[in-house]
Amino acid sequence: MTRRQDVAKALAKYAARKAAKAAVKLGVKAVAAAVAAFGWPLALVLLVAVLIVTVFGGLYAAMPGSGLLTGATPSELDKEYRDYAAETVQRWNVEETWLVPGEGSYYPNTGGARLGRFVDRFGRDAALANTWADAYAPVLLKSSRDEQNDKMQDKDWVKDEIDDAAKKQRPWFYYKESKVIYSGPDGSDEETVYLLVEAYTLRGHRQYEYEWVTESSGNGSVTYEKLKRETILNDGTEYLRQFTAEFYRDMDNDSDIELAVSMTRQAQQAFNERKEWLDWLLAEGKTYYRSLSTAAIPPEYFGFLQEAEEKTGIPVWFLAGIITTESSWNPLAVNERTGCFGLTQLHPDYWPQWTQRYGFDPDKDMLNPRAQILVGAYVLRDYIGGSVDWENWKGDSRVKAGLARYGGYGEDVQAAEKYISRVVRAAAAFALRDVIWPVPRYTAITSRYGMRLHPVFGVWRIHTGIDIPAPEGTDVVSVSGGVVVQAGENGAWGNEVRVQDISHIYQYAHLSQIDVQVGQMVTPGQKIGEVGSTGASTGPHLHFGVKVIGSGEDVGWIDPELILRRW
Amino acid sequence: MMLLAAFAAGCFIGGFFGILIMALCMMAKIGDVEE
């Protein structure tokens, strides 16, 4: 948007405000005139009407925006995939619908006539059938296993995988034929119906038994088969496990399959509850490690990590990897099973002797982040034993042995492998991906974080980020790693991109052009758009804000310079 | 009686216009501004 358009916009706003004032004046006059002419009843009518309108206005203002409930809006590509998945799943849902002679166990037989549609008299087949989410979730999970490429952008791949998933998890239904007999004074009539006798689905393996009943009302009666017993043989997890083993051909290890099964279940559930893009992808799996960068280290702990590095020689990024794995930066984290607590999850049995050795109070400093970080680092140094060449740490067996002890596995490095790999991957991510200034070569800040007189609205209010001026069209790059959760026009922010990692949401506003899509992974330094002056802005600049995840709609903004200027 | 009638009429008119305005705002997505 050009400067002239901005001026026109500001003028229009001014005119609107003036008109509103005039309208209020006119309204007051009209009420006075009405009172004079018709007396107080009409005035009361008007007063009450205005009050009620105000109530509705308040209701409207308090209503959440459309994107708020899910945290994000799905992109066009998401919708296309969802529609495709829905269509494909629908086709496979009725693939295994077989007519059988009577009650009993049939799965996985395919004898008799194929019905090709849902026919159960009580609609239980449709309730047990798969939804688009059941096929979509495993595909999304599979795509996240490739660290290098964003496979969700490859339509052919996604559609092939959706076909494969829908086919491999298709539900099996067996029906028997039955009758409903209506009799009345004028004779009787009967209707052929179908009853589900067995279902083998992701939602469980079930069998149904029926008995004949006759129900009379007035001078008529109806005779039909009524459900006597539903036997639930399993809850479908076994089917999902089987599917998972077949679907991820490269997965041969039981614990990986278990993890994939539980993640798929969670994702299917979440999608079925209409949460389209969500935390589950961030919670585990490789995507999680791809989203990490030093920007995710909460600034309030950064100084303590640097202090720990000075005192123990263990680098900030390695400690960050441990804390991410142990507590996800939650200073109040407590492990119910082991009793370990705090940022570095130290064990309560050893805590008193360690804290005293390093000059802290065992009781008062239990959840003190500085004590947690320093003591954690000292303990780790003791476990590793001696100094490590942190340039070539991955090959150093002492690091692994130290981590195994830290993780509570003692000398058993083999058993600790999974824990070690989680720490190593997180630490490597922190070491590899450092914070990058969002507008390369333009380092001036014209408006810092804090209270200021707003240039467009003319009132004192908090400025929730920093303004970095640069010519229109200058590249804007991502400061952090993470997932794009917003990419598009957003009111006074203009064209806006928001990127989320495990700790923060990073906001880039007033862009002239956006180069990323919702759901896409970004890494520090990746171009996400270009500087512009869209929305409430008086000239081309980047507004960069950082907010703590989990905070409300308009709160939780922190000073971005705490993240940008830490080295 | 007059008081009650005036009150009821006010509620009716206010409710009507309130819902109308709210529906129009929702359709036009007015007020989604965040800055």
Side-chain angles (χ1 to χ4, degrees):
Chain A
M1 205 177 280
T2 65
R3 185 130 198 167
R4 179 169 294 177
Q5 276 170 306
D6 281 331
V7 173
K9 221 171 156 184
L11 278 176
K13 266 183 193 158
Y14 176 72
R17 201 174 292 170
K18 215 170 175 187
K21 270 185 193 160
V24 168
K25 250 185 204 166
L26 204 70
V28 170
K29 267 187 194 162
V31 169
V35 169
F38 302 100
W40 59 267
L42 191 73
L44 184 65
V45 167
L46 281 174
L47 183 72
V48 172
V50 167
L51 277 176
I52 300 281
V53 170
T54 314
V55 167
F56 277 101
L59 275 178
Y60 177 70
M63 271 191 317
S66 50
L68 187 75
L69 294 174
T70 57
T73 28
S75 70
E76 282 306 310
L77 202 58
D78 293 330
K79 284 179 193 151
E80 187 182 332
Y81 290 158
R82 189 182 52 200
D83 292 346
Y84 184 80
E87 216 176 276
T88 312
V89 163
Q90 221 162 22
R91 216 169 47 239
W92 283 105
N93 268 344
V94 295
E95 179 68 21
E96 308 291 351
T97 43
W98 300 97
L99 189 62
V100 292
E103 289 162 20
S105 287
Y106 296 96
Y107 176 80
N109 288 333
T110 54
R114 192 178 153 267
L115 295 160
R117 60 200 163 96
F118 290 148
V119 291
D120 180 44
R121 183 170 183 229
F122 302 105
R124 283 161 307 198
D125 41 8
L128 288 169
N130 290 344
T131 66
W132 67 271
D134 296 325
Y136 186 69
V139 175
L140 196 56
L141 183 55
K142 196 172 188 177
S143 81
S144 76
R145 289 168 59 79
D146 186 342
E147 289 193 51
Q148 306 309 320
N149 309 303
D150 189 356
K151 284 202 166 153
M152 292 312 282
Q153 303 298 321
D154 180 351
K155 282 192 198 178
D156 291 335
W157 182 86
V158 172
K159 288 183 177 176
D160 282 353
E161 292 297 332
I162 288 175
D163 287 339
D164 193 35
K167 180 184 172 190
K168 285 182 174 152
Q169 12 169 253
R170 65 188 185 274
W172 296 68
F173 297 113
Y174 297 91
Y175 306 90
K176 69 169 182 178
E177 209 174 277
S178 178
K179 282 186 173 35
V180 179
I181 304 158
Y182 305 93
S183 3
D186 309 329
S188 67
D189 194 10
E190 61 177 54
E191 183 193 344
T192 302
V193 296
Y194 296 95
L195 297 171
L196 189 64
V197 296
E198 187 178 10
Y200 186 85
T201 72
L202 283 181
R203 286 165 185 74
H205 186 186
R206 297 157 189 234
Q207 286 175 347
Y208 302 87
E209 291 168 57
Y210 299 88
E211 60 186 347
W212 284 98
V213 294
T214 302
E215 284 169 7
S216 328
S217 64
N219 48 7
S221 73
V222 53
T223 305
Y224 68 100
E225 278 192 275
K226 192 179 180 177
L227 184 68
K228 189 170 99 187
R229 188 180 307 134
E230 177 181 11
T231 315
I232 300 176
L233 299 169
N234 67 49
D235 66 354
T237 309
E238 192 45 48
Y239 191 14
L240 186 62
R241 193 172 292 129
Q242 229 175 57
F243 158 79
T244 306
E246 274 178 51
F247 186 66
Y248 304 94
R249 287 165 213 100
D250 57 333
M251 232 185 239
D252 41 14
N253 157 338
D254 276 350
S255 62
D256 278 0
I257 292 180
E258 274 321 301
L259 182 66
V261 165
S262 78
M263 282 170 71
T264 309
R265 261 269 192 270
Q266 280 176 33
Q268 287 170 337
Q269 220 162 0
F271 284 135
N272 280 326
E273 286 165 12
R274 297 172 164 277
K275 294 179 185 167
E276 312 255 322
W277 278 107
L278 29 82
D279 302 340
W280 75 272
L281 251 187
L282 285 174
E284 275 291 347
K286 291 193 178 171
T287 318
Y288 176 83
Y289 298 103
R290 274 173 70 199
S291 79
L292 291 179
S293 69
T294 51
I297 301 176
E300 61 269 35
Y301 304 135
F302 201 78
F304 304 145
L305 290 169
Q306 282 176 315
E307 189 183 347
E309 176 171 349
E310 259 167 49
K311 289 183 172 159
T312 65
I314 300 173
V316 168
W317 49 264
F318 194 80
L319 293 170
I322 289 188
I323 297 176
T324 302
T325 309
E326 290 283 356
S327 64
S328 296
W329 301 95
N330 174 7
L332 306 178
V334 174
N335 184 328
E336 303 278 338
R337 196 168 48 79
T338 60
C340 293
F341 56 86
L343 282 174
T344 50
Q345 292 283 295
L346 294 165
H347 200 281
D349 288 354
Y350 307 114
W351 175 253
Q353 66 184 74
W354 285 333
T355 38
Q356 274 156 4
R357 191 188 314 164
Y358 300 116
F360 291 100
D361 182 307
D363 294 322
K364 283 186 197 157
D365 289 325
M366 263 182 79
L367 299 173
N368 169 357
R370 180 165 171 266
Q372 279 278 335
I373 290 170
L374 286 178
V375 174
Y378 280 125
V379 168
L380 186 66
R381 189 189 58 182
D382 288 353
Y383 283 171
I384 292 175
S387 64
V388 172
D389 171 15
W390 289 104
E391 294 290 313
N392 304 303
W393 60 285
K394 277 188 181 170
D396 195 329
S397 61
R398 287 175 311 160
V399 174
K400 283 192 174 178
L403 280 177
R405 282 187 71 188
Y406 193 95
Y409 297 89
E411 308 292 317
D412 194 351
V413 179
Q414 206 80 33
E417 197 145 338
K418 200 151 193 182
Y419 170 79
I420 294 172
S421 122
R422 287 173 69 192
V423 175
V424 165
R425 279 199 285 181
F430 284 120
L432 184 69
R433 292 193 275 275
D434 200 357
V435 168
I436 285 184
W437 186 261
V439 195
R441 295 190 308 286
Y442 294 89
T443 53
I445 296 176
T446 44
S447 180
R448 302 193 119 87
Y449 173 91
M451 295 303 287
R452 67 161 186 187
L453 189 63
H454 196 282
V456 177
F457 301 125
V459 289
W460 279 91
R461 63 158 86 171
I462 190 163
H463 185 222
T464 55
I466 56 174
D467 288 342
I468 305 166
E472 183 137 353
T474 309
D475 283 0
V476 172
V477 301
S478 180
V479 165
S480 69
V483 181
V484 177
V485 293
Q486 142 90 11
E489 165 110 46
N490 184 11
W493 291 122
N495 291 325
E496 185 199 38
V497 170
R498 288 187 184 200
V499 174
Q500 179 176 339
D501 69 11
I502 59 165
S503 308
H504 306 116
I505 290 170
Y506 307 89
Q507 175 205 28
Y508 307 83
H510 308 308
L511 303 173
S512 60
Q513 181 191 318
I514 291 176
D515 292 338
V516 289
Q517 284 182 326
V518 172
Q520 191 179 330
M521 261 299 173
V522 295
T523 50
Q526 185 175 338
K527 185 181 172 188
I528 56 176
E530 291 177 3
V531 171
S533 186
T534 51
S537 164
T538 51
H541 73 281
L542 173 74
H543 172 99
F544 176 63
V546 179
K547 119 190 203 122
V548 177
I549 59 165
S551 50
E553 181 71 345
D554 244 338
V555 293
W557 297 104
I558 61 172
D559 184 354
E561 288 185 64
L562 292 174
I563 284 180
L564 291 171
R565 297 201 192 280
R566 51 172 48 155
W567 299 108
Chain B
M1 195 63 211
M2 194 73 171
L3 192 80
L4 198 69
F7 184 77
C11 284
F12 185 77
I13 296 169
F16 178 77
F17 282 103
I19 291 173
L20 188 77
I21 291 168
M22 196 162 87
L24 286 174
C25 283
M26 275 161 88
M27 275 193 285
K29 293 199 168 173
I30 291 172
D32 276 358
V33 175
E34 204 183 309
E35 189 196 349

